[in-house]
Amino acid sequence: MRNKKIVFSLKHRHDQNQNDYSSAIIYWYGILDRLGYEVLYYDYDQYNIDDLYNTIEEFDADYFIHANYLVGVHKEFDRIRELCKVFLLSSDAYRFHDSNLKHWIPFVDGIITFEGIKEWYLRDGLPESGFLKMKWGFNPNTMCVEDADSKSINIQHYGGLHGDRRLKISQFQQLGCNIHQEGFITHDEMKKNLAKSKYSLCFSSNAVGTRNELKGRVIEIPSQAVLLTEPAPDLDTYFNDDEIIIFNDVEEAVNKINTMTEEEYSTILKKGQKALWNRNTVYHEWNKILPLMDPDYKPIDPIEIIKKYHSEYYKG
């Protein structure tokens, strides 16, 4: 019996730096391959429905997964359902369910979502079997990095400064905590600096400041640094309070850092790393939803896969 085949449509390169991989590649590359599927990664930047249709047909795919970039709805994907099952993979449901996500429902077999309310999808016509909820997960294929010789950076922050981030970083600095700020550097550069950092900041407000939301970085930071984060919805489903540092305002964050002993720091770092590897990898998440997508998939022990392919980095 041949391995089942998946065509995965996603951007290969970062929009703002063509020398870097896209976020979609970083989060999802290599996982389904390790779980027993033959995967063809289709570059969405080269999207053409006829080319995609022919690619799926020639590959003889069993499943097609499309990463949603929230720029419209491909009604033409209904053609692809003649060939295989079609799934949409999407985040940002709270902001974009009504304007985008619900409009995909007639053209896909299921929606893999990181947030959003099941009742919304059922109300808008998605069959219950098509609602596939997963969490963000650490991807050892792309996110691992060698340990640094020393922690030369106290607090790191990487990524954009939208919303109130700039203001809060300024408040940290006013209280004597310098923040090592990194804009849109490559993911490889970010990983190396993360390994040199004691703490890495995560702010939870969305880009327009309307609500707090869980950020994908919460499943990458603890691989090398202590996650220093504002509260966020569902954060407690990833980590216990003694595995990360949660703060409600900048003053509380600075106080927690300044009063922490090296022994306490080391304990939190190690607990966060164990929680990441043992509960929060993307292997764990796909292993939960694949039986709902593929009736022939047999769940595995994610730790066995991790030890088989990533033993040199494993900190479980």
PDB file of all heavy atoms in Angstrom, residues 20-52:
ATOM      1  N   ASP A  20      14.497  34.830   2.778  1.00  0.00           N
ATOM      2  CA  ASP A  20      14.076  34.100   3.980  1.00  0.00           C
ATOM      3  C   ASP A  20      12.870  33.230   3.649  1.00  0.00           C
ATOM      4  O   ASP A  20      12.122  33.501   2.701  1.00  0.00           O
ATOM      5  CB  ASP A  20      13.712  35.082   5.086  1.00  0.00           C
ATOM      6  CG  ASP A  20      13.663  34.433   6.461  1.00  0.00           C
ATOM      7  OD1 ASP A  20      14.152  33.296   6.605  1.00  0.00           O
ATOM      8  OD2 ASP A  20      13.137  35.075   7.390  1.00  0.00           O
ATOM      9  N   TYR A  21      12.690  32.173   4.436  1.00  0.00           N
ATOM     10  CA  TYR A  21      11.513  31.331   4.262  1.00  0.00           C
ATOM     11  C   TYR A  21      10.270  32.028   4.813  1.00  0.00           C
ATOM     12  O   TYR A  21      10.341  32.854   5.723  1.00  0.00           O
ATOM     13  CB  TYR A  21      11.706  29.989   4.969  1.00  0.00           C
ATOM     14  CG  TYR A  21      12.728  29.094   4.314  1.00  0.00           C
ATOM     15  CD1 TYR A  21      13.928  28.786   4.962  1.00  0.00           C
ATOM     16  CD2 TYR A  21      12.504  28.564   3.053  1.00  0.00           C
ATOM     17  CE1 TYR A  21      14.877  27.962   4.361  1.00  0.00           C
ATOM     18  CE2 TYR A  21      13.442  27.754   2.435  1.00  0.00           C
ATOM     19  CZ  TYR A  21      14.620  27.459   3.090  1.00  0.00           C
ATOM     20  OH  TYR A  21      15.552  26.659   2.492  1.00  0.00           O
ATOM     21  N   SER A  22       9.123  31.666   4.284  1.00  0.00           N
ATOM     22  CA  SER A  22       7.857  32.203   4.774  1.00  0.00           C
ATOM     23  C   SER A  22       7.539  31.631   6.150  1.00  0.00           C
ATOM     24  O   SER A  22       8.058  30.591   6.555  1.00  0.00           O
ATOM     25  CB  SER A  22       6.728  31.836   3.811  1.00  0.00           C
ATOM     26  OG  SER A  22       6.487  30.437   3.859  1.00  0.00           O
ATOM     27  N   SER A  23       6.639  32.317   6.842  1.00  0.00           N
ATOM     28  CA  SER A  23       6.182  31.809   8.141  1.00  0.00           C
ATOM     29  C   SER A  23       5.521  30.446   7.989  1.00  0.00           C
ATOM     30  O   SER A  23       5.673  29.566   8.852  1.00  0.00           O
ATOM     31  CB  SER A  23       5.198  32.793   8.772  1.00  0.00           C
ATOM     32  OG  SER A  23       5.818  34.026   9.048  1.00  0.00           O
ATOM     33  N   ALA A  24       4.802  30.241   6.900  1.00  0.00           N
ATOM     34  CA  ALA A  24       4.113  28.961   6.685  1.00  0.00           C
ATOM     35  C   ALA A  24       5.111  27.812   6.561  1.00  0.00           C
ATOM     36  O   ALA A  24       4.911  26.729   7.131  1.00  0.00           O
ATOM     37  CB  ALA A  24       3.239  29.041   5.440  1.00  0.00           C
ATOM     38  N   ILE A  25       6.194  28.023   5.829  1.00  0.00           N
ATOM     39  CA  ILE A  25       7.236  26.999   5.731  1.00  0.00           C
ATOM     40  C   ILE A  25       7.819  26.717   7.102  1.00  0.00           C
ATOM     41  O   ILE A  25       8.011  25.554   7.502  1.00  0.00           O
ATOM     42  CB  ILE A  25       8.337  27.445   4.744  1.00  0.00           C
ATOM     43  CG1 ILE A  25       7.839  27.379   3.297  1.00  0.00           C
ATOM     44  CG2 ILE A  25       9.601  26.597   4.927  1.00  0.00           C
ATOM     45  CD1 ILE A  25       7.682  25.984   2.730  1.00  0.00           C
ATOM     46  N   ILE A  26       8.104  27.774   7.855  1.00  0.00           N
ATOM     47  CA  ILE A  26       8.724  27.606   9.174  1.00  0.00           C
ATOM     48  C   ILE A  26       7.808  26.831  10.113  1.00  0.00           C
ATOM     49  O   ILE A  26       8.262  25.968  10.864  1.00  0.00           O
ATOM     50  CB  ILE A  26       9.091  28.980   9.751  1.00  0.00           C
ATOM     51  CG1 ILE A  26      10.251  29.587   8.937  1.00  0.00           C
ATOM     52  CG2 ILE A  26       9.474  28.876  11.225  1.00  0.00           C
ATOM     53  CD1 ILE A  26      10.477  31.059   9.174  1.00  0.00           C
ATOM     54  N   TYR A  27       6.516  27.100  10.057  1.00  0.00           N
ATOM     55  CA  TYR A  27       5.597  26.421  10.979  1.00  0.00           C
ATOM     56  C   TYR A  27       5.275  24.989  10.564  1.00  0.00           C
ATOM     57  O   TYR A  27       5.066  24.133  11.433  1.00  0.00           O
ATOM     58  CB  TYR A  27       4.291  27.211  11.099  1.00  0.00           C
ATOM     59  CG  TYR A  27       4.375  28.369  12.057  1.00  0.00           C
ATOM     60  CD1 TYR A  27       4.264  29.681  11.611  1.00  0.00           C
ATOM     61  CD2 TYR A  27       4.578  28.167  13.420  1.00  0.00           C
ATOM     62  CE1 TYR A  27       4.357  30.754  12.495  1.00  0.00           C
ATOM     63  CE2 TYR A  27       4.668  29.223  14.310  1.00  0.00           C
ATOM     64  CZ  TYR A  27       4.559  30.515  13.841  1.00  0.00           C
ATOM     65  OH  TYR A  27       4.652  31.574  14.704  1.00  0.00           O
ATOM     66  N   TRP A  28       5.237  24.689   9.241  1.00  0.00           N
ATOM     67  CA  TRP A  28       4.640  23.412   8.839  1.00  0.00           C
ATOM     68  C   TRP A  28       5.512  22.513   7.986  1.00  0.00           C
ATOM     69  O   TRP A  28       5.146  21.358   7.752  1.00  0.00           O
ATOM     70  CB  TRP A  28       3.308  23.682   8.127  1.00  0.00           C
ATOM     71  CG  TRP A  28       2.336  24.375   9.021  1.00  0.00           C
ATOM     72  CD1 TRP A  28       1.954  23.985  10.270  1.00  0.00           C
ATOM     73  CD2 TRP A  28       1.655  25.597   8.760  1.00  0.00           C
ATOM     74  NE1 TRP A  28       1.070  24.888  10.806  1.00  0.00           N
ATOM     75  CE2 TRP A  28       0.869  25.897   9.888  1.00  0.00           C
ATOM     76  CE3 TRP A  28       1.630  26.477   7.674  1.00  0.00           C
ATOM     77  CZ2 TRP A  28       0.061  27.031   9.974  1.00  0.00           C
ATOM     78  CZ3 TRP A  28       0.832  27.611   7.748  1.00  0.00           C
ATOM     79  CH2 TRP A  28       0.062  27.872   8.892  1.00  0.00           C
ATOM     80  N   TYR A  29       6.665  23.000   7.520  1.00  0.00           N
ATOM     81  CA  TYR A  29       7.470  22.170   6.627  1.00  0.00           C
ATOM     82  C   TYR A  29       8.005  20.932   7.357  1.00  0.00           C
ATOM     83  O   TYR A  29       8.506  21.006   8.480  1.00  0.00           O
ATOM     84  CB  TYR A  29       8.652  22.968   6.073  1.00  0.00           C
ATOM     85  CG  TYR A  29       9.514  22.144   5.142  1.00  0.00           C
ATOM     86  CD1 TYR A  29       9.124  21.921   3.825  1.00  0.00           C
ATOM     87  CD2 TYR A  29      10.682  21.545   5.602  1.00  0.00           C
ATOM     88  CE1 TYR A  29       9.888  21.141   2.973  1.00  0.00           C
ATOM     89  CE2 TYR A  29      11.459  20.764   4.761  1.00  0.00           C
ATOM     90  CZ  TYR A  29      11.055  20.562   3.448  1.00  0.00           C
ATOM     91  OH  TYR A  29      11.814  19.781   2.620  1.00  0.00           O
ATOM     92  N   GLY A  30       7.899  19.775   6.702  1.00  0.00           N
ATOM     93  CA  GLY A  30       8.531  18.558   7.156  1.00  0.00           C
ATOM     94  C   GLY A  30       7.724  17.686   8.094  1.00  0.00           C
ATOM     95  O   GLY A  30       8.073  16.514   8.300  1.00  0.00           O
ATOM     96  N   ILE A  31       6.643  18.218   8.651  1.00  0.00           N
ATOM     97  CA  ILE A  31       5.905  17.472   9.675  1.00  0.00           C
ATOM     98  C   ILE A  31       5.119  16.322   9.064  1.00  0.00           C
ATOM     99  O   ILE A  31       5.246  15.155   9.485  1.00  0.00           O
ATOM    100  CB  ILE A  31       4.959  18.413  10.439  1.00  0.00           C
ATOM    101  CG1 ILE A  31       5.757  19.472  11.186  1.00  0.00           C
ATOM    102  CG2 ILE A  31       4.095  17.611  11.423  1.00  0.00           C
ATOM    103  CD1 ILE A  31       6.711  18.939  12.209  1.00  0.00           C
ATOM    104  N   LEU A  32       4.296  16.614   8.083  1.00  0.00           N
ATOM    105  CA  LEU A  32       3.463  15.568   7.490  1.00  0.00           C
ATOM    106  C   LEU A  32       4.314  14.510   6.806  1.00  0.00           C
ATOM    107  O   LEU A  32       3.946  13.326   6.771  1.00  0.00           O
ATOM    108  CB  LEU A  32       2.461  16.187   6.515  1.00  0.00           C
ATOM    109  CG  LEU A  32       1.424  17.101   7.181  1.00  0.00           C
ATOM    110  CD1 LEU A  32       0.657  17.898   6.142  1.00  0.00           C
ATOM    111  CD2 LEU A  32       0.474  16.292   8.042  1.00  0.00           C
ATOM    112  N   ASP A  33       5.478  14.917   6.293  1.00  0.00           N
ATOM    113  CA  ASP A  33       6.413  13.958   5.708  1.00  0.00           C
ATOM    114  C   ASP A  33       6.863  12.933   6.751  1.00  0.00           C
ATOM    115  O   ASP A  33       6.904  11.724   6.487  1.00  0.00           O
ATOM    116  CB  ASP A  33       7.653  14.676   5.158  1.00  0.00           C
ATOM    117  CG  ASP A  33       7.326  15.944   4.393  1.00  0.00           C
ATOM    118  OD1 ASP A  33       6.739  16.854   5.010  1.00  0.00           O
ATOM    119  OD2 ASP A  33       7.669  16.042   3.208  1.00  0.00           O
ATOM    120  N   ARG A  34       7.206  13.433   7.939  1.00  0.00           N
ATOM    121  CA  ARG A  34       7.669  12.552   9.031  1.00  0.00           C
ATOM    122  C   ARG A  34       6.549  11.647   9.538  1.00  0.00           C
ATOM    123  O   ARG A  34       6.812  10.578  10.095  1.00  0.00           O
ATOM    124  CB  ARG A  34       8.183  13.382  10.201  1.00  0.00           C
ATOM    125  CG  ARG A  34       9.282  14.382   9.888  1.00  0.00           C
ATOM    126  CD  ARG A  34      10.606  13.742   9.622  1.00  0.00           C
ATOM    127  NE  ARG A  34      11.695  14.710   9.736  1.00  0.00           N
ATOM    128  CZ  ARG A  34      12.876  14.579   9.174  1.00  0.00           C
ATOM    129  NH1 ARG A  34      13.131  13.518   8.429  1.00  0.00           N
ATOM    130  NH2 ARG A  34      13.819  15.484   9.346  1.00  0.00           N
ATOM    131  N   LEU A  35       5.307  12.088   9.352  1.00  0.00           N
ATOM    132  CA  LEU A  35       4.167  11.314   9.843  1.00  0.00           C
ATOM    133  C   LEU A  35       3.654  10.313   8.810  1.00  0.00           C
ATOM    134  O   LEU A  35       2.601   9.708   8.995  1.00  0.00           O
ATOM    135  CB  LEU A  35       3.037  12.252  10.277  1.00  0.00           C
ATOM    136  CG  LEU A  35       3.357  13.120  11.501  1.00  0.00           C
ATOM    137  CD1 LEU A  35       2.228  14.098  11.803  1.00  0.00           C
ATOM    138  CD2 LEU A  35       3.634  12.254  12.731  1.00  0.00           C
ATOM    139  N   GLY A  36       4.417  10.129   7.726  1.00  0.00           N
ATOM    140  CA  GLY A  36       4.116   9.032   6.813  1.00  0.00           C
ATOM    141  C   GLY A  36       3.496   9.404   5.491  1.00  0.00           C
ATOM    142  O   GLY A  36       3.129   8.504   4.712  1.00  0.00           O
ATOM    143  N   TYR A  37       3.383  10.710   5.203  1.00  0.00           N
ATOM    144  CA  TYR A  37       2.779  11.131   3.945  1.00  0.00           C
ATOM    145  C   TYR A  37       3.860  11.554   2.946  1.00  0.00           C
ATOM    146  O   TYR A  37       4.953  11.971   3.324  1.00  0.00           O
ATOM    147  CB  TYR A  37       1.818  12.302   4.178  1.00  0.00           C
ATOM    148  CG  TYR A  37       0.604  11.915   4.982  1.00  0.00           C
ATOM    149  CD1 TYR A  37       0.628  11.976   6.373  1.00  0.00           C
ATOM    150  CD2 TYR A  37      -0.557  11.466   4.358  1.00  0.00           C
ATOM    151  CE1 TYR A  37      -0.484  11.615   7.126  1.00  0.00           C
ATOM    152  CE2 TYR A  37      -1.671  11.102   5.094  1.00  0.00           C
ATOM    153  CZ  TYR A  37      -1.623  11.172   6.478  1.00  0.00           C
ATOM    154  OH  TYR A  37      -2.723  10.790   7.212  1.00  0.00           O
ATOM    155  N   GLU A  38       3.521  11.445   1.680  1.00  0.00           N
ATOM    156  CA  GLU A  38       4.357  12.016   0.631  1.00  0.00           C
ATOM    157  C   GLU A  38       3.785  13.395   0.333  1.00  0.00           C
ATOM    158  O   GLU A  38       2.619  13.516  -0.036  1.00  0.00           O
ATOM    159  CB  GLU A  38       4.339  11.137  -0.612  1.00  0.00           C
ATOM    160  CG  GLU A  38       5.312  11.579  -1.687  1.00  0.00           C
ATOM    161  CD  GLU A  38       5.348  10.630  -2.873  1.00  0.00           C
ATOM    162  OE1 GLU A  38       4.861   9.474  -2.741  1.00  0.00           O
ATOM    163  OE2 GLU A  38       5.841  11.048  -3.945  1.00  0.00           O
ATOM    164  N   VAL A  39       4.617  14.423   0.519  1.00  0.00           N
ATOM    165  CA  VAL A  39       4.107  15.801   0.467  1.00  0.00           C
ATOM    166  C   VAL A  39       4.773  16.582  -0.654  1.00  0.00           C
ATOM    167  O   VAL A  39       5.997  16.574  -0.796  1.00  0.00           O
ATOM    168  CB  VAL A  39       4.337  16.529   1.809  1.00  0.00           C
ATOM    169  CG1 VAL A  39       3.702  17.922   1.762  1.00  0.00           C
ATOM    170  CG2 VAL A  39       3.768  15.721   2.969  1.00  0.00           C
ATOM    171  N   LEU A  40       3.962  17.263  -1.440  1.00  0.00           N
ATOM    172  CA  LEU A  40       4.447  18.193  -2.449  1.00  0.00           C
ATOM    173  C   LEU A  40       4.060  19.598  -1.996  1.00  0.00           C
ATOM    174  O   LEU A  40       2.875  19.886  -1.780  1.00  0.00           O
ATOM    175  CB  LEU A  40       3.830  17.882  -3.805  1.00  0.00           C
ATOM    176  CG  LEU A  40       4.337  18.651  -5.024  1.00  0.00           C
ATOM    177  CD1 LEU A  40       4.080  17.843  -6.297  1.00  0.00           C
ATOM    178  CD2 LEU A  40       3.689  20.035  -5.170  1.00  0.00           C
ATOM    179  N   TYR A  41       5.056  20.469  -1.816  1.00  0.00           N
ATOM    180  CA  TYR A  41       4.818  21.835  -1.368  1.00  0.00           C
ATOM    181  C   TYR A  41       4.680  22.747  -2.581  1.00  0.00           C
ATOM    182  O   TYR A  41       5.664  23.053  -3.252  1.00  0.00           O
ATOM    183  CB  TYR A  41       5.956  22.295  -0.452  1.00  0.00           C
ATOM    184  CG  TYR A  41       6.020  21.512   0.839  1.00  0.00           C
ATOM    185  CD1 TYR A  41       6.810  20.370   0.936  1.00  0.00           C
ATOM    186  CD2 TYR A  41       5.268  21.892   1.951  1.00  0.00           C
ATOM    187  CE1 TYR A  41       6.857  19.635   2.113  1.00  0.00           C
ATOM    188  CE2 TYR A  41       5.308  21.159   3.126  1.00  0.00           C
ATOM    189  CZ  TYR A  41       6.103  20.030   3.209  1.00  0.00           C
ATOM    190  OH  TYR A  41       6.147  19.296   4.366  1.00  0.00           O
ATOM    191  N   TYR A  42       3.449  23.171  -2.833  1.00  0.00           N
ATOM    192  CA  TYR A  42       3.138  24.021  -3.987  1.00  0.00           C
ATOM    193  C   TYR A  42       3.316  25.479  -3.591  1.00  0.00           C
ATOM    194  O   TYR A  42       2.773  25.930  -2.569  1.00  0.00           O
ATOM    195  CB  TYR A  42       1.701  23.757  -4.440  1.00  0.00           C
ATOM    196  CG  TYR A  42       1.254  24.560  -5.636  1.00  0.00           C
ATOM    197  CD1 TYR A  42       1.487  24.104  -6.926  1.00  0.00           C
ATOM    198  CD2 TYR A  42       0.606  25.791  -5.473  1.00  0.00           C
ATOM    199  CE1 TYR A  42       1.073  24.841  -8.032  1.00  0.00           C
ATOM    200  CE2 TYR A  42       0.190  26.534  -6.566  1.00  0.00           C
ATOM    201  CZ  TYR A  42       0.435  26.043  -7.842  1.00  0.00           C
ATOM    202  OH  TYR A  42       0.033  26.780  -8.942  1.00  0.00           O
ATOM    203  N   ASP A  43       4.063  26.247  -4.395  1.00  0.00           N
ATOM    204  CA  ASP A  43       4.339  27.645  -4.074  1.00  0.00           C
ATOM    205  C   ASP A  43       3.150  28.512  -4.463  1.00  0.00           C
ATOM    206  O   ASP A  43       2.882  28.748  -5.645  1.00  0.00           O
ATOM    207  CB  ASP A  43       5.606  28.113  -4.796  1.00  0.00           C
ATOM    208  CG  ASP A  43       6.059  29.491  -4.337  1.00  0.00           C
ATOM    209  OD1 ASP A  43       5.340  30.124  -3.522  1.00  0.00           O
ATOM    210  OD2 ASP A  43       7.146  29.924  -4.773  1.00  0.00           O
ATOM    211  N   TYR A  44       2.460  29.027  -3.467  1.00  0.00           N
ATOM    212  CA  TYR A  44       1.252  29.828  -3.715  1.00  0.00           C
ATOM    213  C   TYR A  44       1.565  31.137  -4.443  1.00  0.00           C
ATOM    214  O   TYR A  44       0.695  31.710  -5.104  1.00  0.00           O
ATOM    215  CB  TYR A  44       0.538  30.100  -2.393  1.00  0.00           C
ATOM    216  CG  TYR A  44      -0.742  30.888  -2.519  1.00  0.00           C
ATOM    217  CD1 TYR A  44      -1.800  30.418  -3.288  1.00  0.00           C
ATOM    218  CD2 TYR A  44      -0.899  32.111  -1.854  1.00  0.00           C
ATOM    219  CE1 TYR A  44      -2.989  31.137  -3.403  1.00  0.00           C
ATOM    220  CE2 TYR A  44      -2.077  32.833  -1.960  1.00  0.00           C
ATOM    221  CZ  TYR A  44      -3.121  32.348  -2.737  1.00  0.00           C
ATOM    222  OH  TYR A  44      -4.293  33.057  -2.850  1.00  0.00           O
ATOM    223  N   ASP A  45       2.790  31.626  -4.343  1.00  0.00           N
ATOM    224  CA  ASP A  45       3.157  32.825  -5.089  1.00  0.00           C
ATOM    225  C   ASP A  45       3.094  32.595  -6.600  1.00  0.00           C
ATOM    226  O   ASP A  45       3.042  33.558  -7.373  1.00  0.00           O
ATOM    227  CB  ASP A  45       4.564  33.290  -4.699  1.00  0.00           C
ATOM    228  CG  ASP A  45       4.553  34.161  -3.453  1.00  0.00           C
ATOM    229  OD1 ASP A  45       3.551  34.869  -3.227  1.00  0.00           O
ATOM    230  OD2 ASP A  45       5.533  34.124  -2.684  1.00  0.00           O
ATOM    231  N   GLN A  46       3.111  31.325  -7.014  1.00  0.00           N
ATOM    232  CA  GLN A  46       3.033  30.993  -8.446  1.00  0.00           C
ATOM    233  C   GLN A  46       1.648  30.450  -8.810  1.00  0.00           C
ATOM    234  O   GLN A  46       1.481  29.780  -9.829  1.00  0.00           O
ATOM    235  CB  GLN A  46       4.112  29.939  -8.795  1.00  0.00           C
ATOM    236  CG  GLN A  46       5.516  30.290  -8.348  1.00  0.00           C
ATOM    237  CD  GLN A  46       6.017  31.572  -8.956  1.00  0.00           C
ATOM    238  OE1 GLN A  46       5.788  31.834 -10.133  1.00  0.00           O
ATOM    239  NE2 GLN A  46       6.719  32.380  -8.159  1.00  0.00           N
ATOM    240  N   TYR A  47       0.651  30.769  -7.978  1.00  0.00           N
ATOM    241  CA  TYR A  47      -0.666  30.151  -8.123  1.00  0.00           C
ATOM    242  C   TYR A  47      -1.330  30.428  -9.467  1.00  0.00           C
ATOM    243  O   TYR A  47      -1.402  31.562  -9.940  1.00  0.00           O
ATOM    244  CB  TYR A  47      -1.593  30.628  -7.008  1.00  0.00           C
ATOM    245  CG  TYR A  47      -3.032  30.204  -7.207  1.00  0.00           C
ATOM    246  CD1 TYR A  47      -3.408  28.872  -7.066  1.00  0.00           C
ATOM    247  CD2 TYR A  47      -4.007  31.137  -7.570  1.00  0.00           C
ATOM    248  CE1 TYR A  47      -4.721  28.469  -7.264  1.00  0.00           C
ATOM    249  CE2 TYR A  47      -5.323  30.754  -7.762  1.00  0.00           C
ATOM    250  CZ  TYR A  47      -5.672  29.409  -7.608  1.00  0.00           C
ATOM    251  OH  TYR A  47      -6.967  29.016  -7.808  1.00  0.00           O
ATOM    252  N   ASN A  48      -1.799  29.360 -10.044  1.00  0.00           N
ATOM    253  CA  ASN A  48      -2.657  29.381 -11.231  1.00  0.00           C
ATOM    254  C   ASN A  48      -3.540  28.147 -11.124  1.00  0.00           C
ATOM    255  O   ASN A  48      -3.037  27.040 -10.930  1.00  0.00           O
ATOM    256  CB  ASN A  48      -1.807  29.344 -12.506  1.00  0.00           C
ATOM    257  CG  ASN A  48      -2.636  29.183 -13.757  1.00  0.00           C
ATOM    258  OD1 ASN A  48      -3.087  28.078 -14.071  1.00  0.00           O
ATOM    259  ND2 ASN A  48      -2.835  30.274 -14.472  1.00  0.00           N
ATOM    260  N   ILE A  49      -4.838  28.310 -11.203  1.00  0.00           N
ATOM    261  CA  ILE A  49      -5.742  27.193 -10.935  1.00  0.00           C
ATOM    262  C   ILE A  49      -5.508  26.026 -11.880  1.00  0.00           C
ATOM    263  O   ILE A  49      -5.538  24.860 -11.463  1.00  0.00           O
ATOM    264  CB  ILE A  49      -7.225  27.632 -10.962  1.00  0.00           C
ATOM    265  CG1 ILE A  49      -8.139  26.446 -10.583  1.00  0.00           C
ATOM    266  CG2 ILE A  49      -7.592  28.238 -12.282  1.00  0.00           C
ATOM    267  CD1 ILE A  49      -7.862  25.801  -9.255  1.00  0.00           C
ATOM    268  N   ASP A  50      -5.239  26.293 -13.137  1.00  0.00           N
ATOM    269  CA  ASP A  50      -5.015  25.189 -14.070  1.00  0.00           C
ATOM    270  C   ASP A  50      -3.723  24.447 -13.742  1.00  0.00           C
ATOM    271  O   ASP A  50      -3.681  23.207 -13.779  1.00  0.00           O
ATOM    272  CB  ASP A  50      -4.978  25.704 -15.510  1.00  0.00           C
ATOM    273  CG  ASP A  50      -6.327  26.240 -15.970  1.00  0.00           C
ATOM    274  OD1 ASP A  50      -7.357  25.661 -15.576  1.00  0.00           O
ATOM    275  OD2 ASP A  50      -6.343  27.237 -16.706  1.00  0.00           O
ATOM    276  N   ASP A  51      -2.686  25.216 -13.408  1.00  0.00           N
ATOM    277  CA  ASP A  51      -1.416  24.600 -13.024  1.00  0.00           C
ATOM    278  C   ASP A  51      -1.572  23.791 -11.739  1.00  0.00           C
ATOM    279  O   ASP A  51      -1.074  22.662 -11.633  1.00  0.00           O
ATOM    280  CB  ASP A  51      -0.356  25.683 -12.841  1.00  0.00           C
ATOM    281  CG  ASP A  51       0.963  25.114 -12.340  1.00  0.00           C
ATOM    282  OD1 ASP A  51       1.563  24.287 -13.061  1.00  0.00           O
ATOM    283  OD2 ASP A  51       1.389  25.499 -11.227  1.00  0.00           O
ATOM    284  N   LEU A  52      -2.276  24.357 -10.764  1.00  0.00           N
ATOM    285  CA  LEU A  52      -2.496  23.650  -9.513  1.00  0.00           C
ATOM    286  C   LEU A  52      -3.307  22.374  -9.737  1.00  0.00           C
ATOM    287  O   LEU A  52      -2.965  21.304  -9.216  1.00  0.00           O
ATOM    288  CB  LEU A  52      -3.212  24.559  -8.512  1.00  0.00           C
ATOM    289  CG  LEU A  52      -3.603  23.923  -7.175  1.00  0.00           C
ATOM    290  CD1 LEU A  52      -2.374  23.416  -6.423  1.00  0.00           C
ATOM    291  CD2 LEU A  52      -4.383  24.915  -6.311  1.00  0.00           C
TER     292      LEU A  52
END
